[in-house]
Each structure stands twice: as structure tokens, then as C-alpha cells.
Amino acid sequence: MQEYLYDSLFFSVSKLNRNVQRVAEEIFRPTGLPPSYGLLLLLLDEWKELSPSKISETLDIKPSTTTRFLDRLQKQNIVVRRIEGKYSYISLTPFGLSKLPEIKGAFETLEYKLQKLVSARVSTREKPILLEMADQIKEKGKK
């Protein structure tokens, strides 16, 4: 069984995800936000205002997940929704903007810690491969 698990791409990727997620959650705990919410804040910082569908597309998450994230962030006064006709647009509130240094710091710490846990050479070399694999699975999985 163990041989099967270690030959399985699914198991390997899932194991990597669980371990990285565990480290990320520990580092993000002081921010009061999960790492995935931090990514959303960085996205809004860069683009200033985005539609929920663009957020879903960019973060590669389901629209229902985006809605859940945004509802929670809105309740915490981190994001605000602007409605224009049948469209809505999301941006950071002043409080959300004030959290950015802490969020950016957490991501820097996370990258540093992950590179320390996995040699920087491996980390730098493997990131593009992992992203390419994810994109291929997404594209070919649609067919």
C-alpha cells in the first residue's frame, strides 16, 4: 500500500498541500485571517477593485467560495461591495488597507520558512512545474 501511495500523483500533491497549508495557517494565525483571504487582499491591493467573477477566475476558486470569502471579509469591515446595475465590485476598506503590511509580512515569512524547510534550489525549480501541472489539469479536465 505504501508503495502505491508514494507512486500516486494525487497522494503526493495532497500531502504537499496539507503540509504547506499547516505551515501557512500557523504563520497567518496572528493576522486573524486564513492565507487564502490574504491572497484575496493582495489581489485587491494590486487591482484596487475587482468583480467577484474576476476574483474567482484569478484565484482559481468556485464562485460560491468567493462569495463566502467576501461575506466574511465584509462582516469584518475589510472589503466593501459597490453595486453598479447588475454588477458588483469589491475593494478594500481603509481597515483592509491597514491590514496589508501584516498580510504581506506573513507571506514573506511563509515563503522564507518554506524555502528553509525545502531547499531554495528545489523550491525555485519546482514552483513553475507545479503551476504548469495545475494549469494542464485544469485545461484538460474541462474536456
Side-chain angles (χ1 to χ4, degrees):
M1 179 65 169
Q2 185 139 355
E3 183 179 312
Y4 173 77
L5 290 177
Y6 286 100
D7 285 344
S8 166
L9 178 61
F10 173 77
F11 177 77
S12 299
V13 172
S14 295
K15 183 177 180 178
L16 175 63
N17 180 58
R18 283 190 302 275
N19 286 301
V20 169
Q21 189 68 30
R22 202 172 294 124
V23 172
E25 287 171 356
E26 174 190 319
I27 289 168
F28 270 78
R29 190 168 292 119
T31 72
L33 295 173
S36 50
Y37 288 29
L39 286 173
L40 199 156
L41 267 64
L42 293 181
L43 190 63
L44 289 172
D45 180 45
E46 183 176 333
W47 291 94
K48 306 306 175 212
E49 187 174 70
L50 286 170
S51 67
S53 60
K54 187 64 177 174
I55 292 169
S56 296
E57 177 187 323
T58 305
L59 295 180
D60 198 19
I61 57 178
K62 292 180 180 180
S64 60
T65 302
T66 300
T67 299
R68 190 175 65 250
F69 284 7
L70 294 174
D71 287 347
R72 289 182 182 159
L73 289 169
Q74 191 171 15
K75 283 180 186 170
Q76 293 177 323
N77 193 35
I78 293 172
V79 300
V80 64
R81 285 183 168 103
R82 180 178 64 83
I83 308 295
E84 192 173 289
K86 64 179 183 174
Y87 300 102
S88 69
Y89 300 93
I90 311 302
S91 60
L92 294 171
T93 63
F95 178 62
L97 288 167
S98 76
K99 290 199 71 66
L100 285 171
E102 183 181 22
I103 297 298
K104 289 176 181 178
F107 275 115
E108 288 172 11
T109 301
L110 176 59
E111 286 299 316
Y112 175 78
K113 184 158 187 173
L114 290 174
Q115 287 193 13
K116 200 169 142 189
L117 292 170
V118 177
S119 78
R121 181 180 55 73
V122 170
S123 175
T124 302
R125 186 181 69 222
E126 303 303 330
K127 274 191 277 189
I129 294 169
L130 292 171
L131 289 171
E132 182 180 342
M133 287 173 61
D135 289 343
Q136 284 180 11
I137 291 169
K138 182 180 178 182
E139 269 311 301
K140 292 178 181 176
K142 289 180 181 177
K143 297 176 184 176

